[in-house]
Amino acid sequence: MRRTVLPALSVLSIAALLTAGCAGRDNTSLITDGKAPWQTGEAAAGGHGAASGGTASAAAALAGGEIVDPAGKKLGTVSVSKGAHGLTIQVSGTGMPPGFHGLHLHAVGKCEPNSADPANPGTTGNFLSAGGHLAGGGAAHPEHAGDLPSLYVLRDGTAMLSTETDRLTEAQLGQEGGISLLVHAGPDNYANIPTRYAAGGADAETKKAGDAGARIACAVITKSAAGAAAGH
């Protein structure tokens, strides 16, 4: 049986070409001129598409904001852009406690530490002035327009989430008073309380926010230049 032996030079040439191809790629930062993607009108998903060899162009971010803790320290960013079937929300952050955290859009665009709850001014706490969930047509959690999948934070404190929702509208992004994104201390149970635990199911408090606990991080979401233009 005759065997064909590939010349060593050809093998080296192929290896060199592969190395050159890999060297041509770089992990270009999503930060442009010191601005986050939502500020420049580019959604982070476009960057991932380019890195994986995809041809999809970056979607224009309609709105976004910086996620901060009660002391005002920046922890990450959130951006909102048009998706295939609704609006795409992308969250990235660092310096947060590991584990699952409830993640919701709230009805007031404020991120104030030790602030009063608009529905109960006698109650104060971090980011309470952001009000309740952005409800839309939903009567109770988890049917609110602002209800989102939980944010999972890795053991190193970093987190990244991209989700699409058909409940949130562009009009709500620009509503009077704005909206905000809240990260909670604990996981969201989505008001899933089996009757074996409580004969009546979830109570009124659970139907507000899924017992996700204190608000540990917040972002005021404001329209980008692209979002403002789309609103006209």
Side-chain angles (χ1 to χ4, degrees), residues 127-203:
F127 307 130
L128 290 190
S129 60
H133 288 189
L134 183 65
H141 185 64
E143 302 301 324
H144 297 140
D147 290 334
L148 300 172
S150 290
L151 179 68
Y152 182 70
V153 179
L154 302 177
R155 284 177 289 185
D156 64 1
T158 62
M160 183 173 291
L161 177 144
S162 180
T163 186
E164 188 169 14
T165 177
D166 57 4
R167 294 179 180 177
L168 181 66
T169 67
E170 290 185 45
Q172 288 170 319
L173 289 177
Q175 70 178 28
E176 185 177 355
I179 63 174
S180 56
L181 177 85
L182 269 296
V183 181
H184 290 261
D188 186 342
N189 62 23
Y190 297 97
N192 179 26
I193 308 297
T195 54
R196 69 177 181 273
Y197 297 133
D203 61 15

Side-chain angles (χ1 to χ4, degrees), residues 67-75 113 127:
I67 303 171
V68 298
D69 67 10
K73 179 183 177 182
K74 180 181 175 181
L75 301 178
F127 307 130

Side-chain angles (χ1 to χ4, degrees), residues 8-218:
L9 181 58
S10 298
V11 175
L12 291 175
S13 299
I14 293 171
L17 288 172
L18 290 175
T19 303
C22 292
R25 298 180 182 180
D26 61 6
N27 294 321
T28 303
S29 172
L30 295 176
I31 302 299
T32 304
D33 295 331
K35 295 182 179 181
W38 67 269
Q39 293 172 307
T40 60
E42 294 184 353
H48 291 296
S52 61
T55 58
S57 59
L62 299 174
E66 293 187 347
I67 303 171
V68 298
D69 67 10
K73 179 183 177 182
K74 180 181 175 181
L75 301 178
T77 62
V78 55
S79 69
V80 184
S81 59
K82 287 186 179 181
H85 306 288
L87 293 179
T88 298
I89 300 172
Q90 295 177 305
V91 177
S92 63
T94 187
M96 290 182 279
F100 285 103
H101 297 270
L103 187 70
H104 314 117
L105 296 173
H106 284 243
V108 182
K110 292 182 179 179
C111 288
E112 302 171 326
N114 194 29
S115 54
D117 182 347
N120 186 7
T123 301
T124 59
N126 290 326
F127 307 130
L128 290 190
S129 60
H133 288 189
L134 183 65
H141 185 64
E143 302 301 324
H144 297 140
D147 290 334
L148 300 172
S150 290
L151 179 68
Y152 182 70
V153 179
L154 302 177
R155 284 177 289 185
D156 64 1
T158 62
M160 183 173 291
L161 177 144
S162 180
T163 186
E164 188 169 14
T165 177
D166 57 4
R167 294 179 180 177
L168 181 66
T169 67
E170 290 185 45
Q172 288 170 319
L173 289 177
Q175 70 178 28
E176 185 177 355
I179 63 174
S180 56
L181 177 85
L182 269 296
V183 181
H184 290 261
D188 186 342
N189 62 23
Y190 297 97
N192 179 26
I193 308 297
T195 54
R196 69 177 181 273
Y197 297 133
D203 61 15
E205 188 64 27
T206 295
K207 290 180 179 179
K208 288 181 180 179
D211 300 313
R215 304 174 182 189
I216 62 171
C218 178

